[in-house]
Every structure is written in structure tokens, then in C-alpha cells.
Amino acid sequence: MDIKLDPSRDDLPLMANTSHILVKHYVLDLDVDFESQIIEGTIVLFFESGNKFKKQSSSTEETYPSESNEACKFRTPEPCHIPVTNTRTVSSKMGYNDFVICGKGEKDTSGKDGNHDNQEQASGISSSKYCCDTGNHGSEDFLLVLDCCDLSVLKVEEVDVAAVPGIEKFTRSPKLRNQIVRELVALPADRWREQLDYYARCSQAPGCGELLFDIDTWSLQIRKTGVQTATDFPHAIRIQYTTKPQGRSVTWTSDQSGRPCVYTMGSPINNRALFPCQEPPVAMSTWQATVRAAASFVVLMSGENSAKPTQLREGCSSWHYYVTMPMPASTFTIAVGSWTEVKPEICSSNDLATERSFSPFEADFRYVGGCGHMEYPCRFQNASATTQEIIPHRVFAPVCLKGACQETLLPLIPPCLSAAHSVLGTHPFSRLDVLLVPANFPSLGMARPNKEKTGHVSDSGSSVIKHGLNPDKVFMQVHYLKGYFLLRFLARRLGDDTYFSFLRKFVHTFHGQLILSQDFLQMLLESIPEEGRLELSVENIFQDWLESSGIPQPLQRERLAGAECGLVRQVSAEVAKWVRVNRRPRKRKRKETEEVLEKLLPDQLVLLLEHLLEQRTMNPRTLQRLERTYHLSEQDAEVRHRWCELVVKHKYTEAYRNVERFLQEDQAMGIYLYGELMVSEDARQQHLARRCFELSKEQMDRSSAEVVAEMLY
């Protein structure tokens, strides 16, 4: 079943058979070890199956040979010889303090040593060959397929949720394990705390039989002998595993202070090298995670709660996060490092969560029609949440950047949150953590540009992402640039009032759901009168903006009109001044007046430098004055990138230090700069590029390193 793919050009397979069975909740229990650069522990998956997930036919054409009739070996998992430390035992008792509310007065339900003997129940497992099948037809065993890569799976077992003390209070069928899970995942949203508590209790229940499993490059396949349907397949399973240091879902690196850290990188393979999961976005699930690390580290995750560390023993702390909104597994993020929380020196009222009254217009559709998503404790139905302009937030950064964050970043967050609320309405989450990521964080990593379209979806639910493994695709910004200008174009055509009113209504209508571009455009056009659509249609927009290469015609016309903008005219005047400065001889005549140069905004500086890049030659004297006038080396990354391009083009050696700094500190954006250094065919510039790469390559994002290495060698 193993699929051999060339990572330089092939599509990325999504192997999970989501049409048959869906993960509804993950419970992760992990240890982070910086010395070995691995994350190890267990994950418990709770499933839902039913008629809507059953295989309808076996005749559907498959995308790739993952479900062929070839025989595949399934092996009996060998007993795990990695010792389970007392740390993990303690954490399983302490890690869920945030929400355990229904077990008051009850004894701890976890085992004393954290280990359970299930050898006698696993005696039916053999190493026989089985015919591979992911459906439920015929007499073959049902095969659960999970997306998995770069993981060492040590053990897979069914969880005996019926053994949880007190479970009989919760279910009508306390002896039927699958029925217990069905009733657990079906609990109403207002019982979410109780649901999380039972998920935690069930995840600590003993095993009741090891399951056959096999692992290949892209998937983990699990079966239970004699179980032929997804409905009868165990609905709660526990997987013991470890990540690998080279795993492509996490990056082990150092922060700007030189201290070790690790973070999920949003790579093309998403989280499948962090935990076995169902990658297709249709597999919406909730999760909770307990993560342990040395006490000197801070653990941040994309959870809804504001987690605090719990000390387990000297030198070790545990952090617990959870999410109640079902989301794709790719949205799970984690960052562990020696971050420091940056707090304002003086707490102002702007830093607190605030409320305001809704205008009659905003109130018109606040509760109209209810929510269209699957049930969860939704803030859009909470009156106090809808008026909360600024949600509680924390800021974390490396120690060396604490002062800069305190001075520059902290004051920006409250007005940004307030502006987002004024435009889009209710914040979907109750809190926010902001982290200043290391320099090698891929700037487009979390956006995942390769996932705009998947290929043919097979009957099992598996599919592919076109060119998902091509590292070059990560750096293609065309999708984002066109998307940005399309939104600006629509706003100008419809007017800000109409457009922003629609955005707010759209967010309210589709929050908590998976959407397509067509959904957005269709609703936009339907929200305005036909006479006001100005010949716009979904088909025309797709043709002009998505299906045609180059700059769309509407954007070209807008660009010509933009030349009349006052800020643009100001830049044009400054460009003319610099051209004159550059043409002057070294020794000026006495009567010649000095050019008076205006101050420019950062966006204007970018435009200025782009115009100057069109000049065939610029002398060192002009470049020196340019840098001193605008303090270019101290500007933001966009400005400094254009400045570095100018330095490279004109071989301005005195500013090569700026290029080196950019390649070290802005690694994702520096990818393009490496190419320009090499294209110049200047020996000194090529040496500079290779030297910077040698210093950075071990810390660089893998896709970035692959692309740069191909440029340099």
C-alpha cells in the first residue's frame, strides 16, 4: 500500500477514509523532549459512524492505488518497552483541572501506575495477511485509514470506555462501548464541560485488546479481526507513538534569544507528522491536549482556554488546552519555548474586554435564522459575547524582544481587535494568544497555498492536493495577491458601506462551517440588487481573476486610475527628485540647490523603491543618501526587502551587511533574495548567498532550504 512519490513535483495524498468513519474528538497526552527532539505519548480518537459514512459502491474510480486488491501485511504490535514514567501518571490525574466538574466526591478513576495489562485480550491477534479494504462490503475486515507520516507507532488498542466508574449515569447502555461513545459525541452543546470531562475519563480507561496496524509513508491502517463494518469498529482507540526529529509537521529550532523552541509549521503535510489524524477538511473535530515539558518552557496551543502550568514534580510542568468548536485537524497548533509573557507596564481600560450597544442595523441579523453549523457552544448565540469588542489576550515573545513588544505590539492589539469586531462582528473565540515566532517561521506556512483545490475524491473519502509536495508552490504568492486585489476591487465597485455590511452578514451566516469561494461570491451578488451588480457574475469573476493568467483587466484599469491618488502622486514626485540626484555629477555647481525630500509612509517607501529598481544604474553616492534619508535598514521587512533588492542590483557593497541581516532574520522572505544574488553571476554576491545559507540551513524551514539549495548548487 505504500505510495512512492517524488516530493519535488507530486500531489499530496489525503488517505483517511472519512466517508466511512469520522473522528469527532482527539485527546492528546504528550511529552516534549528537547534533548532528543521528539514528542511522545498517546492520542485517543473518538469516532462517529453511520449510514451517511458507509460505502455506497465499490465501483468508483480511485485516485491512486491505496485501495487496490493487493494483499498487505498487518503485524502484531510488539509490546512497548519504553517505560512510562511517574510524570505521565501524575499528569493524567492533574491535567484536566480546567473542566472536571461532574466528578465531585468521586475517587480518581485512573490506574495507580498508568499501565494496563491487556495481553490476555490481545491473544487473537496474528501476523496473517489480510486483503486490504476500507469499505464494509463483502466478508473482509473493515480498515480504518488515518493520515500519518514521519511517526513511529508503537501500539494501537481499543479503549474500554465501559470500565470508567460512573459511566452508567451517563449512558443508557453502560456495557456497550460503541454505544457509550455514540451518546458521548452526541451530547448537546450546553453540556460541553461534562462532555470534555467524560472524554478525559474515557481516554484514561484501560485497553481491552490490541489492534492490528500497519504504517506506510502516508498512512496508518488499523483493523480489528472479525469486524467488517465501520459501525462495529471500535469507536475509541488509543495510539501510542513518537514523532521523529526530521518530522515535517514540527520545527525544532532556536528563538531570537538563542534558546531552543519547537513549533508546528503548517507545512504542506499539515499535522500528520505530529499525530495520526484525518486530514481532509470535512473531518471536523474537537480536541483536548495535555502537554508536559521542562518547567522553564511555556506551552502555547490553539486552544480556547487560557492555560496555566501545573507543576508535576521539580523541573517539570503540565499544560492543558481544549477546543469546543469542531475544526479541521490542520488547525491544531503548538509552540513550546522559553517565551516570556509581555504585559503592559500600566494596565489601561483599553486592554480589558469591553462591550457596547448594537446599532439597530447590526441587531437586524444577529439572531436571524440561527446557526448553520454543527452544534457547539457558539458565541454568536451569546448576547454578552456579541458585544465584546476586545477579547482577553496574551502576548508571548523571546526575552530579547520583550521591550520592543511592550512598546510597539501591545498597544496595537486592542484597536485591531476592536476594528475586527466593528467590521466582522462577534469574535468566534473567547480569547487570543499572540506569539512572536522565530525568524525561520515560513511566512506563508500557515496559509497553505497548495490546498486551494483537491483532486478526485474517492468513494472512501480519500483525495489528493495538486502539487502539494512541490516546495516551489509554497512560495507562489499569486493566489494571495490576486485574492487581495479582488476583494479591494469588489469593495470599490460596491462601495464600502455595502461591502462591509455584506462581510459582517457573511461571517454571521457561515461561521463554524467550511466554505468555498463560490459561496462567498454567490452570497455577495445575491445581497445587492440586480441593477447594482454592474455586470458582475460568479462566472465572470472566476474567468477574470482565477482562470486567467497575468494581471486581471479590472486590476489594470484600477492601477491606471490609482495613479491619480494623492499619495501615489507624492511618490512619483519623489522618484523624479531621486532620478535627478542620481544624474548629477559628483561636484555640483555652487548655485545648484539641494533637493528637498519629503517624508514618506512605509507603503510609499515600498512604491518608491520599486520605481527606483526600474532605473538602469544608480551610483553608490545616491544609494548612500537614500539609505540615510529614510533609515531604510530600520524599516519593516517589506521596505528592507526592496532596499536589499536595490543593493544587490547595483552591487552596493557598503550595504551588503543589510542583505546578510535580511537573509538571517527574515528567512522566508529572503528566498527571493537568494535567487537575485545568484542570477547576478557576481562572484562576491554568490559567495555571500552561499555563506548565509550555510549559516542558516539547519534552522531553515525544510521547503525553504530545498528551494534555496537548488538555486545555489
Side-chain angles (χ1 to χ4, degrees):
M1 290 183 68
D2 200 358
I3 300 176
K4 301 298 183 183
L5 296 173
D6 181 352
S8 67
R9 65 176 185 270
D10 278 307
D11 302 334
L12 173 68
L14 303 180
M15 305 287 282
N17 52 337
T18 54
S19 294
H20 303 140
I21 191 167
L22 283 177
V23 178
K24 302 303 292 183
H25 190 78
Y26 298 95
V27 179
L28 296 99
D29 189 62
L30 304 173
D31 287 286
V32 179
D33 187 341
F34 278 92
E35 186 173 343
S36 60
Q37 293 193 342
I38 65 170
I39 299 174
E40 64 175 338
T42 64
I43 181 171
V44 177
L45 296 81
F46 296 86
F47 296 97
E48 177 184 72
S49 66
N51 291 332
K52 60 181 176 180
F53 304 125
K54 288 184 179 179
K55 193 167 186 175
Q56 301 299 319
S57 169
S58 60
S59 61
T60 303
E61 179 186 355
E62 300 300 339
T63 310
Y64 38 78
S66 64
E67 299 173 21
S68 67
N69 290 325
E70 297 177 5
C72 60
K73 290 184 179 180
F74 277 79
R75 50 197 168 87
T76 304
E78 296 180 2
C80 175
H81 299 295
I82 295 180
V84 179
T85 65
N86 291 333
T87 300
R88 182 168 298 159
T89 306
V90 175
S91 71
S92 66
K93 298 178 183 178
M94 300 177 65
Y96 304 99
N97 290 344
D98 289 53
F99 57 86
V100 176
I101 62 169
C102 54
K104 295 180 180 178
E106 296 181 10
K107 295 182 179 179
D108 181 14
T109 61
S110 60
K112 292 183 179 181
D113 58 0
N115 293 311
H116 304 282
D117 184 7
N118 58 5
Q119 291 182 349
E120 70 278 7
Q121 295 164 327
S123 59
I125 298 178
S126 68
S127 58
S128 304
K129 289 185 178 181
Y130 292 88
C131 180
C132 300
D133 174 44
T134 60
N136 61 351
H137 59 286
S139 58
E140 298 139 346
D141 291 342
F142 171 77
L143 181 65
L144 168 68
V145 181
L146 298 174
D147 294 301
C148 177
C149 182
D150 299 334
L151 295 179
S152 295
V153 176
L154 308 173
K155 180 181 179 181
V156 182
E157 63 180 346
E158 181 177 1
V159 178
D160 187 8
V161 295
V164 174
I167 199 71
E168 62 278 357
K169 298 187 303 183
F170 161 73
T171 177
R172 294 167 295 177
S173 306
K175 294 183 179 180
L176 301 177
R177 289 189 288 268
N178 280 5
Q179 184 60 31
I180 292 173
V181 176
R182 290 190 191 101
E183 295 180 24
L184 176 56
V185 301
L187 277 178
D190 60 359
R191 296 176 66 184
W192 65 270
R193 289 184 180 274
E194 181 183 7
Q195 185 181 47
L196 286 178
D197 178 39
Y198 273 109
Y199 276 136
R201 291 167 181 254
C202 289
S203 72
Q204 299 169 42
C208 55
E210 293 191 29
L211 302 175
L212 293 160
F213 72 92
D214 193 21
I215 191 168
D216 59 30
T217 304
W218 297 110
S219 69
L220 171 64
Q221 306 113 35
I222 304 169
R223 71 166 72 246
K224 180 176 181 179
T225 304
V227 172
Q228 299 174 8
T229 68
T231 303
D232 295 330
F233 189 81
H235 280 29
I237 66 171
R238 179 163 42 233
I239 302 171
Q240 185 176 357
Y241 72 98
T242 69
T243 64
K244 297 180 180 180
Q246 70 274 19
R248 284 166 281 178
S249 292
V250 293
T251 295
W252 300 87
T253 185
S254 299
D255 65 17
Q256 290 86 340
S257 294
R259 299 183 179 182
C261 62
V262 62
Y263 61 83
T264 47
M265 57 198 294
S267 68
I269 68 167
N270 287 337
N271 281 323
R272 67 181 70 185
L274 177 60
F275 59 91
C277 57
Q278 291 182 332
E279 279 282 9
V282 68
M284 306 271 276
S285 59
T286 53
W287 59 263
Q288 60 198 100
T290 298
V291 177
R292 289 168 297 281
S296 59
F297 291 101
V298 172
V299 178
L300 301 175
M301 299 178 73
S302 52
E304 296 172 11
N305 59 313
S306 183
K308 301 290 184 181
T310 299
Q311 184 172 346
L312 303 177
R313 55 181 172 79
E314 186 176 357
C316 182
S317 295
S318 172
W319 300 70
H320 182 77
Y321 289 89
Y322 61 82
V323 158
T324 61
M325 176 193 295
M327 292 185 292
S330 60
T331 62
F332 181 100
T333 59
I334 182 172
V336 185
S338 299
W339 328 117
T340 182
E341 184 174 358
V342 183
K343 298 180 180 180
E345 294 180 346
I346 301 176
C347 183
S348 66
S349 59
N350 289 336
D351 298 320
L352 303 176
T354 61
E355 296 185 358
R356 66 177 178 85
S357 300
F358 268 72
S359 68
F361 171 76
E362 293 168 342
D364 281 345
F365 59 83
R366 191 174 61 177
Y367 292 114
V368 171
C371 296
H373 53 70
M374 63 182 73
E375 190 180 17
Y376 67 84
C378 177
R379 287 171 53 81
F380 283 73
Q381 296 298 331
N382 184 319
S384 62
T386 58
T387 60
Q388 192 177 31
E389 292 185 9
I390 304 172
I391 56 175
H393 51 275
R394 305 184 297 184
V395 177
F396 294 87
V399 175
C400 67
L401 296 178
K402 181 178 180 180
C405 283
Q406 212 157 28
E407 179 181 348
T408 305
L409 181 60
L410 272 183
L412 292 176
I413 295 179
C416 286
L417 289 171
S418 181
H421 183 273
S422 67
V423 174
L424 301 177
T426 307
H427 293 289
F429 299 105
S430 59
R431 55 173 292 278
L432 173 70
D433 278 345
V434 178
L435 170 66
L436 263 68
V437 295
N440 65 348
F441 189 91
S443 62
L444 292 176
M446 299 308 293
R448 299 180 184 91
N450 324 340
K451 301 214 161 183
E452 77 275 7
K453 184 177 181 181
T454 60
H456 168 76
V457 179
S458 75
D459 194 36
S460 71
S462 59
S463 62
V464 296
I465 298 169
K466 303 300 292 182
H467 309 297
L469 294 173
N470 187 340
D472 294 331
K473 293 289 183 179
V474 176
F475 306 103
M476 294 296 289
Q477 298 191 39
V478 175
H479 313 81
Y480 301 105
L481 292 173
K482 278 191 172 182
Y484 166 75
F485 284 111
L486 172 58
L487 295 179
R488 287 183 71 251
F489 165 75
L490 293 172
R492 290 193 177 187
R493 289 287 296 269
L494 303 177
D496 285 351
D497 290 343
T498 299
Y499 182 68
F500 288 122
S501 173
F502 158 74
L503 277 185
R504 193 180 183 96
K505 185 175 181 179
F506 177 81
V507 170
H508 183 271
T509 303
F510 285 103
H511 69 273
Q513 302 176 62
L514 295 174
I515 59 169
L516 301 174
S517 300
Q518 296 94 308
D519 300 325
F520 176 86
L521 295 173
Q522 191 65 47
M523 183 176 177
L524 172 63
L525 297 180
E526 290 175 353
S527 67
I528 56 180
E530 188 170 351
E531 61 272 14
R533 296 181 188 176
L534 306 174
E535 299 180 355
L536 290 175
S537 69
V538 175
E539 293 74 19
N540 290 342
I541 293 173
F542 267 68
Q543 174 64 34
D544 292 340
W545 292 86
L546 301 179
E547 297 173 359
S548 301
S549 60
I551 301 176
Q553 287 296 326
L555 184 55
Q556 293 188 33
R557 293 192 294 269
E558 183 181 294
R559 185 171 62 170
L560 293 175
E564 303 302 318
C565 167
L567 294 176
V568 174
R569 287 199 303 270
Q570 185 182 10
V571 172
S572 298
E574 296 305 297
V575 170
K577 294 177 185 177
W578 282 107
V579 170
R580 290 195 295 268
V581 168
N582 190 55
R583 288 175 180 171
R584 287 174 181 164
R586 182 178 296 272
K587 293 183 178 180
R588 299 194 315 258
K589 298 178 181 179
R590 289 184 179 180
K591 295 182 179 179
E592 193 172 342
T593 58
E594 185 81 16
E595 293 283 1
V596 178
L597 301 166
E598 303 291 335
K599 290 185 178 181
L600 298 178
L601 299 170
D603 285 346
Q604 290 179 299
L605 282 176
V606 170
L607 185 58
L608 171 73
L609 295 174
E610 286 180 348
H611 281 301
L612 294 180
L613 277 166
E614 297 173 0
Q615 297 296 309
R616 180 173 295 181
T617 59
M618 291 191 73
N619 60 59
R621 184 180 67 257
T622 303
L623 292 170
Q624 183 184 55
R625 184 178 176 188
L626 186 71
E627 199 282 329
R628 290 178 177 175
T629 300
Y630 301 116
H631 305 286
L632 295 176
S633 61
E634 302 171 13
Q635 297 288 342
D636 63 31
E638 291 285 353
V639 175
R640 288 187 289 111
H641 185 252
R642 300 308 192 284
W643 167 237
C644 288
E645 288 183 289
L646 209 57
V647 169
V648 172
K649 178 177 180 177
H650 299 292
K651 299 180 174 61
Y652 181 42
T653 57
E654 290 186 24
Y656 278 3
R657 65 187 183 281
N658 296 154
V659 178
E660 293 182 19
R661 176 193 163 201
F662 193 89
L663 293 176
Q664 298 292 311
E665 298 181 5
D666 301 273
Q667 294 177 14
M669 293 183 67
I671 300 302
Y672 308 99
L673 210 53
Y674 276 109
E676 290 167 25
L677 286 166
M678 298 306 294
V679 168
S680 69
E681 297 186 353
D682 178 86
R684 183 169 179 179
Q685 289 190 358
Q686 292 184 347
H687 176 71
L688 184 154
R690 293 190 175 103
R691 185 176 72 252
C692 288
F693 181 64
E694 289 301 317
L695 292 172
S696 306
K697 65 181 182 181
E698 297 302 323
Q699 300 292 327
M700 288 180 74
D701 162 66
R702 179 173 299 188
S703 295
S704 303
E706 289 177 5
V707 172
V708 173
E710 192 171 325
M711 293 178 187
L712 302 186
Y713 305 107

